[in-house]
Amino acid sequence: MRSSSPQAVSSHEGQGSRLSAMTIQQSASSEEIAVLTEQLRTMQSANQQLQAQLVYLQQQLNERDREVPTPRPPQLLTESPNEYSSIFRLGFKALKWLFLFLVGFAIACVVSASLQAPQVLEALISLMSAILAPLIVLILCIIAGAAILESLK
């Protein structure tokens, strides 16, 4: 038989309140789990979208790297584009040697004048008058020919 003592009734009511509290906690935790599960699904779908974007960007980078440069038209010249033509180089070499000749001649004239050798100085001046004029004309013709040939290209 049941006892109707106040202690028995209070212990029975205490167990009932504990059960209802546990039921409330379980329902609250199941709601939290449902919310967390929904958040996890949302994050997974966002992650999948980001992965799809990453794959698309990687494909675009690969396509950009694979682009073939436009072919250049073949060059008719055998020299590389950075070099001057043969006639142009010949003109500059001739001009360089003319200036070196003039510098050497000037040094020889100064040395012979300082050593007081008038016979050597007269010989140098006569040599200069005989050689210098045709040499300058020849070099000017080479330079003019180089300029005309380069302008025709």
Side-chain angles (χ1 to χ4, degrees):
M1 233 172 129
R2 285 185 163 180
S3 67
S4 52
S5 69
Q7 291 174 343
V9 171
S10 66
S11 70
H12 193 283
E13 287 176 6
Q15 285 178 351
S17 64
R18 280 188 208 157
L19 285 176
S20 63
M22 288 177 65
T23 305
I24 292 171
Q25 284 179 351
Q26 285 177 351
S27 66
S29 65
S30 65
E31 288 174 7
E32 288 176 5
I33 290 174
V35 168
L36 289 174
T37 305
E38 185 61 33
Q39 288 177 350
L40 182 62
R41 286 186 187 138
T42 305
M43 292 176 104
Q44 285 176 343
S45 67
N47 188 17
Q48 288 174 352
Q49 290 174 352
L50 288 174
Q51 285 179 346
Q53 287 177 354
L54 181 64
V55 167
Y56 176 72
L57 290 173
Q58 186 66 37
Q59 288 173 350
Q60 283 183 337
L61 281 175
N62 289 339
E63 288 175 9
R64 187 198 66 186
D65 290 342
R66 271 189 264 137
E67 287 183 10
V68 178
T70 57
R72 293 183 180 177
Q75 293 182 351
L76 299 177
L77 301 175
T78 57
E79 296 112 10
S80 68
N82 294 340
E83 292 183 12
Y84 295 110
S85 67
S86 311
I87 189 78
F88 208 69
R89 285 183 293 185
L90 176 67
F92 275 114
K93 280 186 181 182
L95 193 61
K96 177 183 81 169
W97 284 107
L98 174 68
F99 286 133
L100 286 175
F101 175 75
L102 290 175
V103 167
F105 183 77
I107 290 173
C109 286
V110 167
V111 168
S112 65
S114 66
L115 293 176
Q116 297 178 355
Q119 295 87 9
V120 175
L121 189 58
E122 287 175 17
L124 286 174
I125 291 175
S126 66
L127 182 66
M128 184 64 139
S129 63
I131 293 177
L132 189 61
L135 191 60
I136 290 175
V137 169
L138 177 67
I139 290 173
L140 287 178
C141 287
I142 291 173
I143 292 174
I148 291 170
L149 287 176
E150 286 296 319
S151 67
L152 291 176
K153 288 184 180 180

